[in-house]
Amino acid sequence: MVLAAFLAGWVDAVVGGGGLIQLPSLLIGLPNEEVASISGTNKLSSAAGTGTATLTYLRKVSVEWRSALPLMACAWLGSTLGAQLVQLMPRALFTPVVLVVLLVVGTYTVRRPQLGLHHELKHSGTAHLLRLAVIGLVIGVYDGFLGPGTGTFFVISLVALLGYGFLQASVLTKLANLTTNVAALTVLGLSGHVLWGLGGAMALANLTGGFLGARMAIRHGNAFVRKVFLVVVGLLALKLAWDSLALLR
């Protein structure tokens, strides 16, 4: 699981989607643990990696805080609600849901359209802010409840629905994703649903993987990392599918 967190940080640093590796690995590695504890431990590791990435972006790219703040506020509300809901989720249902998300987002990664080449906002004023709020709330609920692919969903929504360029969308995505991680971690941590020892070790591994991933990406390029990512996602999907079939038997 620590190795999976390292790989997740490595992948996140380049192409995003590390949660597609980390959460299924926790499901596989902790077969008898309740869903809320798996989710809380995942959030601890994810928050560490996302926090580091956010600081990196803030040092290099200016942020339009008038847009960022309503997005973050609604993302916090949504994630808090999602984290409350996940505590009611039975393990037998959670694994198939993660499997479906794994397949959907993995497939999208293969066929990702090249949007966001230009920064041309489609809306302004109140209409723009309302759309940001809805995006933050809806994806926030998803992240608090489940999580894998959250960063990808934020980027897709900001680019496709609002016209952001990839760079500007990535900055807002990191801020919103850090917010959803911290909100869910707060709820689950206060409820006693975080394995702090394991989560701390995974957080350190996630940070290390992210640091090395950024350096390796420069050396080998995105194509190499995407191949590794898709192979790992495919193997995890097969394992979760096998586990789901075993439950049905």
Side-chain angles (χ1 to χ4, degrees), residues 8-240:
W10 184 63
V11 169
D12 255 337
V14 185
V15 293
L20 292 171
I21 296 171
Q22 190 166 267
L23 182 60
S25 298
L26 281 165
L27 280 168
I28 293 168
L30 300 172
N32 300 315
E33 197 65 53
E34 59 183 311
V35 166
S37 295
I38 288 174
S39 182
T41 305
N42 178 60
K43 291 302 179 190
L44 176 58
S45 179
S46 298
T50 306
T52 301
T54 301
L55 289 175
T56 300
Y57 271 103
L58 290 178
R59 284 198 298 265
K60 297 182 178 181
V61 183
S62 61
V63 178
E64 185 186 343
W65 289 105
R66 186 170 178 269
S67 296
L69 291 177
L71 178 69
M72 294 168 67
C74 290
W76 180 283
L77 291 174
S79 185
T80 299
L81 175 60
Q84 295 286 356
L85 293 174
V86 78
Q87 297 179 63
L88 308 175
M89 186 77 164
R91 170 82 188 221
L93 183 58
F94 192 73
T95 298
V97 170
V98 172
L99 174 60
V100 171
V101 173
L102 200 67
L103 293 173
V104 171
V105 182
T107 301
Y108 177 79
T109 301
V110 178
R111 306 181 53 157
R112 181 182 296 183
Q114 295 301 309
L115 297 172
L117 298 180
H118 304 285
H119 183 66
E120 298 176 358
L121 296 182
K122 299 178 181 178
H123 307 280
S124 61
T126 303
H128 177 74
L129 296 178
L130 284 175
R131 284 168 172 79
L132 281 170
V134 171
I135 289 170
L137 184 64
V138 172
I139 300 179
V141 171
Y142 169 78
D143 192 35
F145 183 70
L146 196 60
T150 296
T152 302
F153 294 147
F154 268 124
V155 170
I156 294 170
S157 299
L158 293 170
V159 169
L161 300 180
L162 294 179
Y164 279 94
F166 264 126
L167 180 60
Q168 293 82 2
S170 294
V171 177
L172 292 177
T173 290
K174 292 303 179 187
L175 287 166
N177 205 359
L178 176 61
T179 302
T180 57
N181 282 334
V182 173
L185 180 60
T186 300
V187 172
L188 295 171
L190 291 175
S191 302
H193 291 301
V194 178
L195 305 177
W196 293 102
L198 174 61
M202 291 178 68
L204 181 60
N206 195 295
L207 289 172
T208 305
F211 174 74
L212 295 178
R215 295 171 66 91
M216 290 184 70
I218 295 173
R219 189 176 305 126
H220 298 292
N222 283 350
F224 168 72
V225 180
R226 287 189 187 189
K227 288 177 184 176
V228 176
F229 171 71
L230 291 171
V231 168
V232 173
V233 166
L235 291 174
L236 289 171
L238 288 173
K239 172 59 176 164
L240 290 177

